[in-house]
Amino acid sequence: MARRPTNQRTTNQRTTNQRAANQRAGNQRDADQRDAGRRTASRRAAGRPRAEQPQAQQPRAQQAPAEQPRVERGAARRITTRNARFQQWESLLTNRNKRQRAGEFLVQGVRPISLAVERGWPVRTLIHDAGRPLSRWARELLAGARDAEHVAMAPELLAELGEKNEAPPELVAVVGMPEDDLNRIPIGEDFLGVVFDRPTNPGNVGSVIRSADAFGADGVVVTGHAADVYDPRAVRASTGSLFALPAVRTPSHHEVMEWVDRARRADGLPVVVVGTDERGECAVYDFDFTVPTLLLVGNETSGLSNGWRERCDHLVSIPMTGAASSLNAANAATAVLYEVARQRAAARRPGAATP
């Protein structure tokens, strides 16, 4: 009888332990089920955005290019430091060789830039002031020049590309050079061409181009070792006429005379080569300029080269009074061009006699 209580207590303890184990197992199953449910819900929630995200973003990626215009001011490239691109443009101001290698030059001013665009010159880049509101002219020019690159430049940098003694420009254009082809200049029955032989002053080059344009010339040829037609000072002095009148550079007089001789043979045009010289055979107003004429203007200091003198059919002089011994080359060219235009206008009047 002493063993029964011991066995009974053992049995009761086993029963209690078994119930506790079952309870723990049940609690663990419930916890596992809850965790599994949460993971399933989390995967479903996470899966929906991943599946829907491409559908929501794809239309925006496809529509973005269509919403942007081809060229807009907001898309202009910004330059705020003296980077390589700025230095390249800066070199075009002073380095003729770099202008020639790049095949481009800088233009500023409302009239020159407007004429370059109107006459179809290749405007490669338009650089505008990023620090101030643009004028109506500048806004319209930028909006219309869709093939040109647009650059918004810091004002202090743009001022370095402008004239040293003037206010910073609002706009600077980078324009491509045309070929130096004499056939750009037409030779017809009323031909008037101007040759500027070895000029040293770029301002004089631009002034001669301007006067030639004003008085009806067909083109200007700059020969020999000379100031550059596309030097900023020449471009400025032409006040836009560079873009309205062909201006061609040649190494010497030989290329020009071959071109004139071909026109003489092919078309039978009696082109007369007339040089200006203080010891000319007659005064400028005594010579008949109503015939096809190639007018020669010499270097500012030494006049016409020997090569050109040998090819001249006639030499004319400009009568002067007073203490002045000579005229500036550009002024002399202007005086003779005015006389040519006067004679030709008079010859076109009914009943007018040939000068």
Side-chain angles (χ1 to χ4, degrees), residues 49-86:
R50 286 198 296 270
E52 294 171 358
Q53 184 174 0
Q55 297 178 359
Q57 293 183 355
Q58 186 65 24
R60 288 196 295 270
Q62 293 175 349
Q63 293 174 5
E67 292 173 358
Q68 296 177 356
R70 182 182 178 187
V71 174
E72 59 180 1
R73 187 182 169 195
R77 176 180 179 180
R78 297 185 67 87
I79 293 182
T80 58
T81 62
R82 298 175 60 85
N83 60 15
R85 197 77 188 282
F86 171 83

Side-chain angles (χ1 to χ4, degrees), residues 192-194 207-217 220 284 289 295 297 330-343:
L192 174 59
V194 180
S207 295
V208 168
I209 293 173
R210 180 181 182 181
S211 295
D213 181 30
F215 294 116
V220 173
V284 63
F289 283 108
L295 177 66
V297 180
N331 292 340
T334 300
V336 179
L337 285 166
Y338 173 79
E339 175 61 18
V340 175
R342 186 196 67 78
Q343 289 186 20

Side-chain angles (χ1 to χ4, degrees), residues 213-232:
D213 181 30
F215 294 116
D218 295 293
V220 173
V221 182
V222 178
T223 62
H225 184 69
D228 188 16
V229 169
Y230 302 106
D231 185 290

Side-chain angles (χ1 to χ4, degrees), residues 9-22:
R9 283 196 301 270
T10 302
T11 301
N12 291 340
Q13 183 65 37
R14 290 177 179 172
T15 302
T16 301
N17 292 342
Q18 184 64 41
R19 288 176 180 173
N22 292 340

Side-chain angles (χ1 to χ4, degrees), residues 120-139:
W121 283 59
V123 178
R124 297 178 179 176
T125 307
L126 289 171
I127 310 169
H128 64 83
D129 191 336
R132 62 173 172 174
L134 297 178
S135 66
R136 179 180 176 182
W137 165 77
R139 292 196 306 270

Side-chain angles (χ1 to χ4, degrees), residues 18-45:
Q18 184 64 41
R19 288 176 180 173
N22 292 340
Q23 183 65 36
R24 287 194 298 270
N27 292 340
Q28 185 63 43
R29 283 195 300 271
D30 293 341
D32 292 342
Q33 290 176 357
R34 287 194 298 270
D35 291 342
R38 283 196 296 269
R39 286 194 297 270
T40 301
S42 177
R43 285 196 298 270
R44 290 175 179 174

